[in-house]
Coordinates of all heavy atoms in Angstrom, one line a residue:
M543 N -7.6 12.3 1.5 CA -7.0 10.9 1.6 C -6.4 10.7 3.0 O -5.6 9.8 3.2 CB -5.9 10.7 0.5 CG -6.4 10.6 -0.9 SD -6.7 8.9 -1.2 CE -7.6 9.0 -2.7
E544 N -6.7 11.6 3.9 CA -6.1 11.5 5.3 C -6.5 10.2 5.9 O -5.8 9.7 6.8 CB -6.6 12.7 6.1 CG -5.8 12.8 7.4 CD -4.4 13.2 7.2 OE1 -4.0 13.9 6.2 OE2 -3.5 12.9 8.1
E545 N -7.6 9.5 5.5 CA -8.0 8.3 6.2 C -7.1 7.1 5.9 O -7.1 6.1 6.6 CB -9.5 7.9 5.8 CG -9.6 7.5 4.3 CD -9.9 8.6 3.4 OE1 -9.9 9.8 3.8 OE2 -10.2 8.3 2.2
N546 N -6.2 7.3 4.9 CA -5.2 6.2 4.6 C -3.9 6.4 5.3 O -2.9 5.8 5.0 CB -4.9 6.2 3.1 CG -6.1 5.6 2.3 OD1 -7.0 4.9 2.9 ND2 -6.2 5.8 1.0
I547 N -3.9 7.3 6.3 CA -2.6 7.6 7.0 C -2.8 7.1 8.5 O -3.8 7.4 9.1 CB -2.4 9.2 7.0 CG1 -2.4 9.8 5.6 CG2 -1.1 9.5 7.8 CD1 -1.3 9.2 4.7
V548 N -1.8 6.4 8.9 CA -1.7 5.9 10.3 C -0.4 6.4 10.9 O 0.6 6.6 10.2 CB -1.8 4.4 10.4 CG1 -3.2 3.9 9.9 CG2 -0.7 3.7 9.7
T549 N -0.4 6.6 12.2 CA 0.8 7.0 12.9 C 1.2 5.9 13.8 O 0.4 5.5 14.6 CB 0.6 8.3 13.7 OG1 0.1 9.3 12.8 CG2 1.8 8.8 14.4
L550 N 2.5 5.5 13.7 CA 3.0 4.5 14.6 C 4.2 5.1 15.4 O 4.8 6.1 15.0 CB 3.5 3.3 13.8 CG 2.5 2.6 12.9 CD1 3.2 1.5 12.1 CD2 1.4 2.1 13.7
V551 N 4.5 4.5 16.5 CA 5.7 4.9 17.3 C 6.8 3.9 17.2 O 6.6 2.7 17.4 CB 5.2 5.1 18.8 CG1 6.4 5.6 19.6 CG2 4.1 6.1 18.9
D552 N 8.0 4.4 16.8 CA 9.1 3.4 16.6 C 9.8 3.1 18.0 O 9.4 3.6 19.0 CB 10.1 4.0 15.6 CG 10.8 5.2 16.0 OD1 10.8 5.6 17.2 OD2 11.5 5.8 15.1
E553 N 10.9 2.4 17.9 CA 11.6 1.9 19.1 C 12.1 3.1 19.9 O 12.3 3.0 21.1 CB 12.8 1.0 18.7 CG 12.4 -0.3 18.1 CD 12.2 -0.2 16.6 OE1 12.6 0.8 16.0 OE2 11.6 -1.1 16.0
E554 N 12.4 4.2 19.3 CA 13.0 5.4 20.0 C 11.9 6.3 20.5 O 12.2 7.4 21.0 CB 13.9 6.2 19.1 CG 15.3 5.5 18.8 CD 15.2 4.6 17.6 OE1 14.7 5.0 16.6 OE2 15.7 3.5 17.7
G555 N 10.6 5.9 20.3 CA 9.5 6.8 20.7 C 9.1 7.9 19.7 O 8.3 8.7 20.1
N556 N 9.7 7.8 18.5 CA 9.3 8.8 17.5 C 8.1 8.4 16.8 O 7.9 7.2 16.4 CB 10.5 8.9 16.5 CG 11.8 9.3 17.1 OD1 11.8 10.2 17.9 ND2 12.8 8.6 16.7
E557 N 7.2 9.4 16.5 CA 6.0 9.1 15.7 C 6.4 9.1 14.3 O 7.0 10.0 13.8 CB 4.9 10.2 16.0 CG 4.3 10.0 17.4 CD 3.1 10.9 17.5 OE1 2.8 11.7 16.6 OE2 2.4 10.8 18.6
V558 N 5.9 8.1 13.5 CA 6.2 8.0 12.1 C 4.9 7.8 11.4 O 4.1 6.9 11.8 CB 7.1 6.8 11.8 CG1 7.4 6.7 10.3 CG2 8.4 6.9 12.6
K559 N 4.6 8.6 10.4 CA 3.4 8.5 9.6 C 3.6 7.5 8.4 O 4.6 7.6 7.8 CB 2.9 9.9 9.1 CG 2.4 10.8 10.2 CD 1.9 12.1 9.6 CE 1.5 13.0 10.7 NZ 0.2 12.7 11.3
F560 N 2.6 6.7 8.2 CA 2.6 5.7 7.2 C 1.3 5.9 6.3 O 0.3 6.2 6.9 CB 2.6 4.3 7.7 CG 3.9 3.9 8.4 CD1 4.1 4.2 9.7 CD2 4.9 3.2 7.6 CE1 5.3 3.8 10.3 CE2 6.1 2.8 8.3 CZ 6.3 3.1 9.6
E561 N 1.5 5.6 5.0 CA 0.3 5.5 4.2 C -0.1 4.0 4.1 O 0.8 3.2 3.9 CB 0.6 6.1 2.8 CG -0.6 6.0 1.9 CD -0.4 6.5 0.5 OE1 0.7 7.0 0.2 OE2 -1.3 6.5 -0.3
V562 N -1.4 3.7 4.2 CA -1.8 2.3 4.0 C -1.9 2.1 2.5 O -2.8 2.7 1.9 CB -3.2 2.1 4.7 CG1 -3.6 0.7 4.5 CG2 -3.1 2.4 6.2
I563 N -1.0 1.3 2.0 CA -1.0 1.1 0.5 C -2.2 0.1 0.2 O -2.9 0.3 -0.8 CB 0.3 0.4 0.1 CG1 1.5 1.3 0.5 CG2 0.3 0.1 -1.4 CD1 1.5 2.7 -0.2
M564 N -2.3 -0.9 0.9 CA -3.4 -1.8 0.7 C -3.6 -2.7 1.9 O -2.7 -2.8 2.8 CB -3.2 -2.7 -0.5 CG -2.1 -3.7 -0.4 SD -1.8 -4.7 -1.9 CE -3.4 -5.4 -2.2
T565 N -4.8 -3.4 2.0 CA -5.0 -4.4 3.0 C -5.2 -5.7 2.2 O -5.7 -5.7 1.1 CB -6.1 -4.1 4.0 OG1 -7.3 -4.0 3.2 CG2 -5.8 -2.9 4.8
L566 N -4.9 -6.8 2.8 CA -5.1 -8.1 2.1 C -5.3 -9.2 3.1 O -5.0 -9.0 4.3 CB -4.0 -8.5 1.2 CG -2.6 -8.5 1.8 CD1 -2.2 -9.9 2.2 CD2 -1.5 -8.1 0.7
E567 N -5.8 -10.3 2.7 CA -6.1 -11.4 3.6 C -5.1 -12.6 3.1 O -5.0 -12.9 1.9 CB -7.5 -11.9 3.5 CG -7.9 -13.0 4.5 CD -9.3 -13.3 4.5 OE1 -10.2 -12.4 4.5 OE2 -9.6 -14.5 4.5
A568 N -4.5 -13.2 4.1 CA -3.6 -14.4 3.9 C -3.8 -15.3 5.0 O -3.8 -14.9 6.2 CB -2.2 -14.0 3.8
Q569 N -4.1 -16.6 4.7 CA -4.4 -17.6 5.7 C -5.4 -17.1 6.8 O -5.1 -17.3 8.0 CB -3.0 -18.1 6.3 CG -2.1 -18.7 5.3 CD -0.9 -19.3 5.9 OE1 -0.3 -18.8 6.8 NE2 -0.4 -20.4 5.3
E570 N -6.5 -16.6 6.3 CA -7.6 -16.2 7.2 C -7.2 -15.1 8.2 O -7.9 -14.9 9.2 CB -8.2 -17.4 7.9 CG -8.7 -18.4 6.9 CD -9.4 -19.6 7.5 OE1 -9.6 -19.6 8.8 OE2 -9.6 -20.6 6.8
K571 N -6.2 -14.3 7.9 CA -5.8 -13.2 8.8 C -5.7 -11.9 7.9 O -5.4 -12.1 6.7 CB -4.5 -13.4 9.5 CG -4.5 -14.5 10.5 CD -3.2 -14.7 11.2 CE -3.3 -15.9 12.1 NZ -2.0 -16.2 12.7
E572 N -6.0 -10.8 8.4 CA -5.9 -9.5 7.7 C -4.5 -8.9 7.9 O -4.0 -8.9 9.0 CB -7.0 -8.6 8.1 CG -8.4 -9.0 7.8 CD -8.7 -8.8 6.3 OE1 -8.2 -7.8 5.7 OE2 -9.4 -9.6 5.7
Y573 N -4.0 -8.3 6.8 CA -2.7 -7.6 6.8 C -2.8 -6.3 6.2 O -3.6 -6.0 5.3 CB -1.6 -8.5 6.1 CG -1.4 -9.8 6.8 CD1 -2.1 -10.9 6.5 CD2 -0.5 -9.9 7.9 CE1 -1.9 -12.1 7.1 CE2 -0.3 -11.1 8.5 CZ -1.0 -12.2 8.1 OH -0.8 -13.4 8.8
A574 N -2.0 -5.3 6.6 CA -1.9 -4.0 6.0 C -0.5 -3.8 5.4 O 0.5 -4.2 6.1 CB -2.2 -2.9 7.0
I575 N -0.4 -3.3 4.2 CA 0.9 -2.9 3.6 C 1.1 -1.4 3.9 O 0.3 -0.6 3.4 CB 1.0 -3.3 2.1 CG1 0.5 -4.7 1.8 CG2 2.4 -3.0 1.6 CD1 1.3 -5.8 2.4
L576 N 2.1 -1.0 4.6 CA 2.3 0.4 4.9 C 3.6 0.9 4.3 O 4.6 0.2 4.3 CB 2.4 0.5 6.5 CG 1.2 0.0 7.3 CD1 1.5 0.3 8.8 CD2 -0.1 0.6 6.8
M577 N 3.6 2.1 3.9 CA 4.7 2.8 3.3 C 5.0 4.1 4.1 O 4.1 4.9 4.3 CB 4.5 3.2 1.8 CG 5.7 3.8 1.1 SD 7.0 2.6 0.7 CE 6.2 1.8 -0.6
P578 N 6.2 4.3 4.6 CA 6.5 5.5 5.4 C 6.3 6.7 4.5 O 6.8 6.7 3.4 CB 7.9 5.3 5.8 CG 8.3 3.9 5.5 CD 7.3 3.4 4.5
L579 N 5.7 7.8 5.0 CA 5.5 9.0 4.2 C 6.8 9.8 4.1 O 7.1 10.4 3.1 CB 4.5 9.9 4.9 CG 3.0 9.4 4.8 CD1 2.1 10.4 5.5 CD2 2.6 9.3 3.4
E580 N 7.6 9.7 5.1 CA 8.9 10.5 5.1 C 10.0 9.9 4.3 O 10.9 10.5 3.8 CB 9.4 10.7 6.6 CG 8.4 11.4 7.5 CD 8.0 12.8 7.1 OE1 9.0 13.5 6.7 OE2 6.9 13.2 7.1
D581 N 9.9 8.6 4.2 CA 11.0 7.8 3.5 C 10.7 7.8 2.0 O 9.7 7.3 1.6 CB 11.0 6.4 4.1 CG 12.2 5.6 3.5 OD1 13.1 6.2 2.9 OD2 12.2 4.4 3.7
N582 N 11.7 8.2 1.2 CA 11.5 8.2 -0.2 C 11.9 6.9 -0.8 O 11.9 6.7 -2.0 CB 12.3 9.3 -0.9 CG 11.8 10.7 -0.5 OD1 10.6 10.8 -0.2 ND2 12.7 11.7 -0.4
G583 N 12.3 5.9 0.0 CA 12.7 4.6 -0.5 C 11.5 3.8 -0.9 O 10.4 4.2 -0.7
E584 N 11.7 2.6 -1.3 CA 10.6 1.8 -1.8 C 10.3 0.7 -0.8 O 9.5 -0.2 -1.1 CB 11.0 1.1 -3.1 CG 11.1 2.1 -4.3 CD 9.8 2.7 -4.6 OE1 8.8 2.0 -4.7 OE2 9.7 4.0 -4.7
E585 N 10.8 0.8 0.4 CA 10.6 -0.3 1.4 C 9.2 -0.1 2.1 O 9.0 0.8 2.8 CB 11.7 -0.4 2.4 CG 11.5 -1.6 3.3 CD 12.8 -1.9 4.1 OE1 13.8 -1.3 3.8 OE2 12.7 -2.7 5.0
A586 N 8.3 -1.1 1.9 CA 7.1 -1.1 2.5 C 7.2 -2.1 3.7 O 8.0 -2.9 3.8 CB 6.0 -1.6 1.6
Y587 N 6.2 -1.9 4.7 CA 6.2 -2.8 5.8 C 4.9 -3.5 5.9 O 3.9 -3.0 5.5 CB 6.4 -1.9 7.1 CG 7.7 -1.2 7.2 CD1 7.9 0.0 6.6 CD2 8.8 -1.9 7.7 CE1 9.1 0.7 6.7 CE2 10.0 -1.2 7.8 CZ 10.2 0.0 7.2 OH 11.4 0.7 7.3
I588 N 4.9 -4.7 6.4 CA 3.7 -5.5 6.5 C 3.4 -5.7 8.0 O 4.2 -6.1 8.8 CB 3.9 -6.9 5.9 CG1 4.3 -6.8 4.4 CG2 2.6 -7.8 6.0 CD1 4.7 -8.1 3.7
F589 N 2.1 -5.4 8.3 CA 1.6 -5.6 9.7 C 0.4 -6.4 9.7 O -0.5 -6.3 8.8 CB 1.3 -4.2 10.3 CG 2.5 -3.4 10.6 CD1 3.0 -2.5 9.6 CD2 3.1 -3.4 11.8 CE1 4.1 -1.7 9.9 CE2 4.3 -2.6 12.1 CZ 4.7 -1.8 11.1
R590 N 0.2 -7.2 10.7 CA -1.1 -8.0 10.9 C -2.1 -7.1 11.6 O -1.7 -6.4 12.5 CB -0.8 -9.3 11.7 CG -2.0 -10.2 11.8 CD -1.7 -11.5 12.4 NE -1.2 -11.4 13.8 CZ 0.1 -11.7 14.1 NH1 1.0 -12.1 13.2 NH2 0.5 -11.5 15.4
I591 N -3.3 -7.1 11.1 CA -4.4 -6.4 11.7 C -5.1 -7.3 12.6 O -5.6 -8.4 12.2 CB -5.4 -5.8 10.6 CG1 -4.6 -4.9 9.6 CG2 -6.5 -5.0 11.3 CD1 -5.4 -4.5 8.4
E592 N -5.3 -6.9 13.9 CA -6.0 -7.7 14.9 C -7.1 -6.9 15.5 O -6.8 -5.8 16.0 CB -5.0 -8.3 15.9 CG -4.1 -9.3 15.4 CD -3.2 -10.0 16.5 OE1 -3.4 -9.7 17.7 OE2 -2.4 -10.9 16.1
E593 N -8.3 -7.5 15.5 CA -9.4 -6.8 16.2 C -9.3 -7.0 17.7 O -9.1 -8.1 18.2 CB -10.7 -7.3 15.6 CG -11.9 -6.5 16.2 CD -13.2 -6.8 15.5 OE1 -13.2 -7.7 14.6 OE2 -14.2 -6.2 15.9
Q594 N -9.4 -5.9 18.4 CA -9.4 -6.0 19.9 C -10.8 -5.9 20.4 O -11.7 -5.7 19.7 CB -8.5 -4.8 20.5 CG -7.1 -4.7 19.9 CD -6.3 -5.9 20.2 OE1 -6.3 -6.4 21.3 NE2 -5.5 -6.4 19.2
E595 N -10.9 -6.1 21.7 CA -12.3 -5.9 22.4 C -12.8 -4.5 22.1 O -12.0 -3.6 22.1 CB -12.2 -6.2 23.9 CG -11.9 -7.7 24.2 CD -11.9 -7.9 25.7 OE1 -12.6 -7.2 26.4 OE2 -11.3 -8.9 26.1
G596 N -14.1 -4.4 21.9 CA -14.6 -3.1 21.8 C -14.6 -2.6 20.3 O -14.8 -1.4 20.1
G597 N -14.2 -3.4 19.4 CA -14.2 -3.0 18.0 C -12.9 -2.2 17.6 O -12.8 -1.8 16.4
E598 N -12.0 -2.1 18.5 CA -10.7 -1.4 18.1 C -9.8 -2.3 17.3 O -9.9 -3.6 17.5 CB -10.0 -0.9 19.4 CG -10.8 0.1 20.2 CD -10.8 1.5 19.5 OE1 -9.7 1.9 19.0 OE2 -11.9 2.1 19.5
Y599 N -8.9 -1.8 16.5 CA -8.0 -2.6 15.8 C -6.6 -2.2 16.2 O -6.3 -1.1 16.4 CB -8.2 -2.4 14.3 CG -9.4 -3.0 13.8 CD1 -10.6 -2.3 13.7 CD2 -9.5 -4.3 13.3 CE1 -11.8 -2.8 13.3 CE2 -10.7 -4.9 12.9 CZ -11.8 -4.1 12.9 OH -13.0 -4.7 12.4
S600 N -5.7 -3.2 16.2 CA -4.3 -3.0 16.4 C -3.5 -3.5 15.2 O -4.0 -4.5 14.6 CB -3.8 -3.8 17.7 OG -4.4 -3.2 18.8
I601 N -2.4 -2.9 14.9 CA -1.5 -3.5 13.9 C -0.3 -4.0 14.6 O 0.4 -3.3 15.3 CB -1.2 -2.5 12.7 CG1 -0.7 -1.1 13.3 CG2 -2.5 -2.2 11.9 CD1 -0.4 -0.2 12.2
I602 N 0.1 -5.2 14.2 CA 1.1 -6.0 14.9 C 2.2 -6.3 13.9 O 1.9 -6.8 12.9 CB 0.6 -7.3 15.5 CG1 -0.8 -7.1 16.2 CG2 1.6 -8.0 16.3 CD1 -0.7 -6.3 17.5
P603 N 3.5 -6.0 14.3 CA 4.6 -6.4 13.4 C 4.6 -7.9 13.2 O 4.4 -8.6 14.2 CB 5.8 -5.9 14.0 CG 5.4 -4.9 15.1 CD 4.0 -5.3 15.4
I604 N 5.0 -8.4 12.1 CA 5.1 -9.8 11.8 C 6.5 -10.2 12.2 O 7.5 -9.7 11.7 CB 4.9 -10.2 10.4 CG1 3.4 -9.8 10.0 CG2 5.1 -11.6 10.1 CD1 3.1 -10.0 8.5
E605 N 6.7 -11.2 13.1 CA 8.0 -11.6 13.6 C 8.3 -13.0 13.1 O 9.4 -13.5 13.3 CB 8.0 -11.5 15.1 CG 7.9 -10.1 15.6 CD 7.9 -9.9 17.1 OE1 7.9 -10.9 17.8 OE2 7.9 -8.8 17.5
N606 N 7.3 -13.7 12.5 CA 7.5 -15.0 12.0 C 7.9 -15.0 10.5 O 7.1 -14.5 9.7 CB 6.2 -15.8 12.2 CG 6.2 -17.2 11.8 OD1 6.5 -17.5 10.6 ND2 6.0 -18.2 12.6
D607 N 9.0 -15.6 10.1 CA 9.5 -15.5 8.7 C 8.5 -16.2 7.8 O 8.2 -15.7 6.7 CB 10.8 -16.2 8.6 CG 11.9 -15.3 9.2 OD1 11.7 -14.1 9.4 OD2 13.0 -15.9 9.4
E608 N 7.9 -17.3 8.2 CA 7.0 -18.1 7.4 C 5.7 -17.3 7.1 O 5.2 -17.2 6.0 CB 6.6 -19.4 8.0 CG 5.7 -20.3 7.1 CD 5.4 -21.6 7.8 OE1 6.2 -22.1 8.7 OE2 4.4 -22.2 7.4
E609 N 5.2 -16.6 8.2 CA 4.0 -15.8 8.0 C 4.3 -14.6 7.1 O 3.5 -14.3 6.2 CB 3.6 -15.3 9.4 CG 2.3 -14.4 9.4 CD 1.9 -13.9 10.7 OE1 2.7 -14.1 11.7 OE2 0.8 -13.4 10.9
Y610 N 5.5 -14.0 7.2 CA 5.9 -12.9 6.4 C 6.0 -13.3 4.9 O 5.4 -12.7 4.0 CB 7.3 -12.4 6.9 CG 7.8 -11.2 6.0 CD1 7.4 -9.9 6.3 CD2 8.7 -11.4 5.0 CE1 7.8 -8.8 5.5 CE2 9.1 -10.4 4.2 CZ 8.7 -9.1 4.5 OH 9.2 -8.0 3.8
E611 N 6.6 -14.5 4.7 CA 6.7 -15.0 3.3 C 5.4 -15.3 2.7 O 5.2 -15.0 1.5 CB 7.6 -16.2 3.2 CG 9.1 -16.0 3.6 CD 9.8 -15.0 2.7 OE1 9.5 -15.0 1.5 OE2 10.6 -14.2 3.2
N612 N 4.4 -15.8 3.5 CA 3.1 -16.1 3.0 C 2.4 -14.8 2.5 O 1.8 -14.7 1.5 CB 2.2 -16.8 4.0 CG 2.7 -18.2 4.2 OD1 3.2 -18.9 3.3 ND2 2.4 -18.7 5.4
V613 N 2.5 -13.7 3.3 CA 1.9 -12.5 3.0 C 2.5 -11.8 1.8 O 1.8 -11.3 0.9 CB 1.9 -11.5 4.2 CG1 1.3 -10.1 3.8 CG2 1.2 -12.1 5.4
V614 N 3.9 -11.9 1.7 CA 4.6 -11.4 0.5 C 4.1 -12.1 -0.8 O 3.9 -11.5 -1.8 CB 6.1 -11.5 0.7 CG1 6.8 -11.2 -0.6 CG2 6.6 -10.5 1.8
A615 N 3.9 -13.4 -0.7 CA 3.5 -14.2 -1.8 C 2.1 -13.8 -2.3 O 1.8 -13.6 -3.5 CB 3.5 -15.7 -1.5
V616 N 1.2 -13.6 -1.3 CA -0.2 -13.1 -1.7 C -0.1 -11.7 -2.3 O -0.7 -11.5 -3.3 CB -1.1 -13.1 -0.4 CG1 -2.4 -12.4 -0.7 CG2 -1.3 -14.6 0.1
Y617 N 0.7 -10.9 -1.7 CA 0.9 -9.5 -2.2 C 1.4 -9.5 -3.7 O 0.8 -8.9 -4.6 CB 1.8 -8.7 -1.3 CG 2.1 -7.3 -1.9 CD1 1.2 -6.3 -1.8 CD2 3.4 -7.1 -2.4 CE1 1.5 -5.0 -2.3 CE2 3.7 -5.8 -2.9 CZ 2.7 -4.8 -2.8 OH 3.0 -3.6 -3.3
E618 N 2.4 -10.3 -3.9 CA 3.0 -10.4 -5.3 C 2.0 -11.0 -6.3 O 1.9 -10.5 -7.4 CB 4.3 -11.3 -5.3 CG 5.4 -10.5 -4.6 CD 6.7 -11.4 -4.4 OE1 6.6 -12.6 -4.6 OE2 7.7 -10.8 -4.1
T619 N 1.2 -12.0 -5.9 CA 0.2 -12.5 -6.7 C -0.9 -11.4 -7.1 O -1.3 -11.3 -8.2 CB -0.5 -13.7 -6.0 OG1 0.5 -14.7 -5.8 CG2 -1.6 -14.3 -6.9
L620 N -1.3 -10.7 -6.1 CA -2.3 -9.6 -6.3 C -1.7 -8.6 -7.3 O -2.4 -8.1 -8.2 CB -2.7 -8.9 -5.0 CG -3.6 -9.7 -4.1 CD1 -3.7 -9.0 -2.7 CD2 -4.9 -10.0 -4.7
M621 N -0.4 -8.2 -7.1 CA 0.2 -7.2 -8.0 C 0.3 -7.8 -9.4 O 0.1 -7.0 -10.4 CB 1.6 -6.8 -7.5 CG 1.6 -6.1 -6.2 SD 0.8 -4.4 -6.3 CE -0.9 -4.8 -5.7
Q622 N 0.6 -9.0 -9.6 CA 0.6 -9.6 -10.9 C -0.7 -9.6 -11.6 O -0.9 -9.3 -12.8 CB 1.2 -11.1 -10.9 CG 2.7 -11.1 -10.6 CD 3.1 -12.6 -10.3 OE1 2.3 -13.5 -10.3 NE2 4.4 -12.7 -10.2
E623 N -1.8 -9.9 -10.8 CA -3.1 -9.9 -11.3 C -3.5 -8.5 -11.7 O -4.2 -8.3 -12.8 CB -4.1 -10.5 -10.3 CG -4.0 -12.0 -10.1 CD -4.8 -12.5 -9.0 OE1 -5.5 -11.7 -8.3 OE2 -4.8 -13.8 -8.7
E624 N -3.2 -7.5 -10.9 CA -3.5 -6.1 -11.3 C -2.8 -5.7 -12.6 O -3.4 -5.0 -13.4 CB -3.1 -5.2 -10.2 CG -3.8 -5.5 -8.9 CD -4.6 -4.3 -8.4 OE1 -4.4 -3.2 -8.8 OE2 -5.6 -4.5 -7.7
G625 N -1.6 -6.2 -12.8 CA -0.8 -5.9 -14.0 C -1.4 -6.5 -15.3 O -1.2 -5.9 -16.3
L626 N -2.1 -7.6 -15.1 CA -2.7 -8.2 -16.3 C -4.0 -7.6 -16.8 O -4.4 -7.8 -17.9 CB -3.0 -9.7 -16.0 CG -1.7 -10.6 -15.7 CD1 -2.1 -12.0 -15.3 CD2 -0.8 -10.6 -16.9
E627 N -4.6 -6.8 -15.9 CA -5.9 -6.2 -16.3 C -5.7 -5.0 -17.2 O -4.8 -4.3 -17.1 CB -6.8 -5.9 -15.1 CG -7.1 -7.1 -14.3 CD -8.0 -6.7 -13.1 OE1 -8.0 -5.6 -12.7 OE2 -8.6 -7.6 -12.6

């Protein structure tokens, strides 16, 4: 399952490993839900996935509250649908 692990660098320059919980689409953009591997808490992080030149991908923190709320709403809807099956 190593392919679901990404490493990001925080503000202090520390490498932090995250598990990709899921990816989803909201308003025609792709997002990744990431959970820190080291943190036993339940707080997940949402990042926008952007394709760069050459087929590389970057994950960008969401800084817009409205965009964040839209992604959370899509995520919650998906979780509710999963629970009904």
Side-chain angles (χ1 to χ4, degrees):
M543 290 272 170
E544 193 67 29
E545 69 270 6
N546 288 341
I547 306 300
V548 296
T549 302
L550 303 179
V551 178
D552 68 12
E553 296 86 15
E554 288 89 44
N556 300 314
E557 289 190 353
V558 182
K559 290 186 184 280
F560 290 85
E561 179 180 359
V562 179
I563 303 300
M564 71 182 301
T565 59
L566 57 90
E567 187 174 313
Q569 297 186 326
E570 301 180 12
K571 295 180 182 170
E572 290 287 324
Y573 297 91
I575 311 296
L576 305 181
M577 184 74 74
L579 289 180
E580 303 297 319
D581 185 13
N582 294 330
E584 290 296 311
E585 186 166 350
Y587 297 89
I588 302 172
F589 291 89
R590 185 172 60 249
I591 303 170
E592 292 188 359
E593 186 171 0
Q594 307 296 317
E595 290 183 27
E598 296 288 316
Y599 290 90
S600 295
I601 53 178
I602 313 294
I604 298 174
E605 296 177 355
N606 178 304
D607 288 342
E608 183 178 339
E609 182 180 11
Y610 180 84
E611 294 299 325
N612 287 335
V613 177
V614 169
V616 170
Y617 175 75
E618 288 175 347
T619 300
L620 289 171
M621 291 299 97
Q622 288 172 354
E623 289 174 0
E624 298 244 334
L626 294 176
E627 295 181 343

